[in-house]
Amino acid sequence: GPESYEKLPDGVIVHLEGKDVRLKVVADRVIRVTAFPGKGVDLPASLAAVRSGDANVEFDVRRDRGNIVLTTAALSAEMLLNR
């Protein structure tokens, strides 16, 4: 069936068949992408240097031709749902 998504205060989670993909807005020019099985969004702390998300970063999430597009003032990330 069609994939669904949830807009979060700091990004979006896209529910795909068998896994979820989270796009987290860290800054206007930084989006952290994580994929994980199942329906859990509590991720362990990253071993990489990752700044915490800034709730003041404005972004938009929309569906475009069946894909999910997250846009900030500086970039656009498109999640292709159809392979």
Side-chain angles (χ1 to χ4, degrees), residues 19-67:
K19 68 182 169 192
D20 289 350
V21 178
R22 179 176 180 175
L23 304 178
K24 180 177 182 178
V25 178
V26 177
D28 270 351
R29 298 177 184 275
V30 181
I31 294 178
R32 181 179 180 199
V33 180
T34 48
F36 41 92
K39 296 286 184 192
V41 296
D42 293 328
L43 301 175
S46 176
L47 297 178
V50 177
R51 194 176 83 187
S52 296
D54 181 354
N56 296 323
V57 177
E58 291 188 23
F59 67 94
D60 180 57
V61 176
R62 72 181 193 282
R63 248 192 139 95
D64 183 20
R65 295 185 302 267
N67 299 325

